[in-house]
Amino acid sequence: MASVNLGSLFQSHSIFNRASRTNSKSFPLPRSFPFNPLKNISSSTPKRRSFTSLPSISSVLTKEDAVMEEDQDPQLPSFDFKSFMVHKGNAVNQALDSAVPLRDPVKIHEAMRYSLLAGGKRVRPVLCLAACDLVGGKESMVMPAACALEMIHTMSLVHDDLPCMDNDDLRRGKPTNHKVYGEDIAVLAGDALLAFSFEHIAVSTVGVTPDRIVRAIGELAKSIGAEGLAAGQVVDISSEGLTNVGLDHLEFIHVHKTAALLEAAAVLGAILGGGRDEDVEKLRKFARNIGLLFQVVDDILDVTKSSKELGKTAGKDLVADKVTYPKLMGINKSKEFAEKLKSDALELLQGFDPEKSAPLIALANYIAYRQN
């Protein structure tokens, strides 16, 4: 894929606005933007099953996904990331199964469960659990919030796959929700998951003061509304086919579309776990870095892996003429940017208990080096 001249981009785009004073591999922390990315964009926009057992997290963590010993800091205690993800992910799966049982009306609950329990790495809920533990909280205090995050993430995938959005037929190696239940039920299943996520935090959270629960709900709502995920989605859709999209515009899309919910995961874990304000803000920045890292890696995988390897349609961004990091920067510079985001994220964990921060360190490495 063709690359652009990064020399000019260093001078004019936000991600690199301080890079020219250091070196070509220095990328400052992503942040939100005061500019309106829709300013010069036209308002017209192109465009019954049963579950006998829960999917195991181990089925989506391959040998390549595990953090190898040679990639770990020798000063840190040995940490088995794959076992951690399997254990925590399966706990989340069981909690999700209990939270959304099959009941009347059957069809919508089937559709909700079809996508919610279809597998996946459970990165967001596990991040929430790890952040809670890091600040001294208990898993029981934050499990409803962890489940809520996965419900919202699943909603975003169900809606994103619809013909009016990305028009995808495959998700996590299975037919997408609207292909199984129809577009109408898919929309309603996503809506129901979104609504229930807030109810679940409000009524199922135990051992946490009401003010922290309200604060957590406010953070979550902001992360997915017109200042969060929805903002990133609408700018992403409106940017398809444009030829003048720069790196600041692309960063806005992904800080909001992808990083916002990961940021909420860490922040909710820290708030509900009883963390201090300074710890909450450190984890917010950590998650924003790994959230943008997740998207940069996703863009790279989209053009370097097959649909079979990814478990979803490969190359769809290229077909849709979407702006991506490889399209603007080339593959090699995209990989350098990903490495810098990972390093910046890990720096923010300094000062925390090394043993308790080990899952977050491993998670950053996992996101950086994942293969699907």
Side-chain angles (χ1 to χ4, degrees):
M1 183 174 292
S3 174
V4 296
N5 183 348
L6 285 176
S8 61
L9 289 173
F10 286 165
Q11 303 300 326
S12 59
H13 292 291
S14 69
I15 297 177
F16 301 103
N17 62 0
R18 294 187 295 274
S20 59
R21 296 196 292 271
T22 51
N23 59 62
S24 63
K25 295 185 181 182
S26 178
F27 305 91
L29 180 70
R31 40 59 170 173
S32 298
F33 295 92
F35 81 99
N36 177 6
L38 292 175
K39 186 167 59 179
N40 296 315
I41 297 177
S42 168
S43 60
S44 60
T45 305
K47 54 176 202 162
R48 182 166 173 153
R49 301 198 169 196
S50 61
F51 295 86
T52 56
S53 62
L54 291 174
S56 169
I57 284 293
S58 61
S59 65
V60 296
L61 289 173
T62 65
K63 182 178 179 180
E64 292 86 344
D65 291 331
V67 178
M68 302 302 177
E69 284 187 12
E70 57 266 29
D71 293 328
Q72 297 183 17
D73 188 332
Q75 301 303 314
L76 295 175
S78 177
F79 181 74
D80 187 344
F81 178 64
K82 185 172 182 179
S83 294
F84 173 82
M85 288 295 288
V86 169
H87 175 69
K88 296 297 184 182
N90 287 337
V92 170
N93 279 341
Q94 291 175 15
L96 288 169
D97 184 45
S98 297
V100 187
L102 190 59
R103 59 188 176 189
D104 290 330
V106 172
K107 193 165 190 177
I108 192 167
H109 286 94
E110 277 189 353
M112 292 164 69
R113 287 170 60 86
Y114 175 80
S115 294
L116 187 63
L117 303 177
K121 304 173 186 69
R122 308 307 193 203
V123 169
R124 290 153 193 84
V126 171
L127 172 58
C128 186
L129 297 177
C132 178
D133 182 63
L134 184 66
V135 300
K138 298 178 181 178
E139 185 174 295
S140 60
M141 301 164 70
V142 78
M143 184 60 83
C147 290
L149 287 156
E150 192 65 20
M151 292 174 197
I152 291 173
H153 176 55
T154 300
M155 172 279 297
S156 73
L157 299 181
V158 171
H159 286 179
D160 207 37
D161 291 335
L162 289 167
C164 64
M165 297 281 280
D166 280 0
N167 193 24
D168 236 324
D169 296 340
L170 192 66
R171 173 70 66 179
R172 292 171 174 167
K174 300 172 64 176
T176 48
N177 196 289
H178 69 275
K179 285 294 180 180
V180 178
Y181 295 99
E183 292 178 40
D184 48 1
I185 299 299
V187 170
L188 293 169
D191 292 345
L193 285 168
L194 177 60
F196 184 62
S197 66
F198 290 97
E199 177 186 345
H200 193 53
I201 295 176
V203 305
S204 299
T205 303
V206 294
V208 181
T209 58
D211 62 312
R212 285 187 176 266
I213 296 174
V214 171
R215 182 181 170 192
I217 290 173
E219 287 275 359
L220 183 57
K222 186 175 181 179
S223 76
I224 62 175
E227 296 182 37
L229 188 152
Q233 284 278 28
V234 73
V235 176
D236 188 27
I237 291 169
S238 302
S239 301
E240 290 182 17
L242 295 182
T243 58
N244 61 341
V245 174
L247 288 169
D248 53 356
H249 190 112
L250 183 60
E251 184 186 309
F252 179 96
I253 291 172
H254 296 310
V255 164
H256 291 77
K257 179 181 174 182
T258 303
L261 194 55
L262 283 160
E263 184 178 322
V267 168
L268 263 62
I271 291 173
L272 296 172
R276 300 172 302 169
D277 287 350
E278 51 264 46
D279 293 337
V280 171
E281 292 311 308
K282 280 185 180 181
L283 286 167
R284 186 190 301 279
K285 293 176 182 178
F286 165 82
R288 191 176 301 175
N289 270 294
I290 67 168
L292 189 54
L293 170 63
F294 191 97
Q295 188 59 52
V296 175
V297 172
D298 213 51
D299 284 356
I300 293 169
L301 294 176
D302 188 64
V303 295
T304 59
K305 298 292 182 179
S306 67
S307 296
K308 182 178 180 180
E309 289 173 307
L310 294 177
K312 60 182 180 180
T313 306
K316 64 179 182 179
D317 290 341
L318 186 62
V319 172
D321 198 24
K322 282 190 175 183
V323 62
T324 65
Y325 285 99
K327 185 175 181 178
L328 288 184
M329 303 169 65
I331 294 292
N332 290 336
K333 285 294 180 182
S334 296
K335 289 180 177 179
E336 289 175 10
F337 184 33
E339 189 64 28
K340 182 61 169 61
L341 287 167
K342 186 201 75 169
S343 298
D344 287 350
L346 296 183
E347 281 185 20
L348 289 160
L349 296 178
Q350 293 180 6
F352 288 108
D353 181 332
E355 187 174 347
K356 288 190 173 184
S357 64
L360 295 175
I361 293 170
L363 180 59
N365 281 320
Y366 165 74
I367 290 173
Y369 305 124
R370 67 192 176 96
Q371 298 298 308
N372 58 26

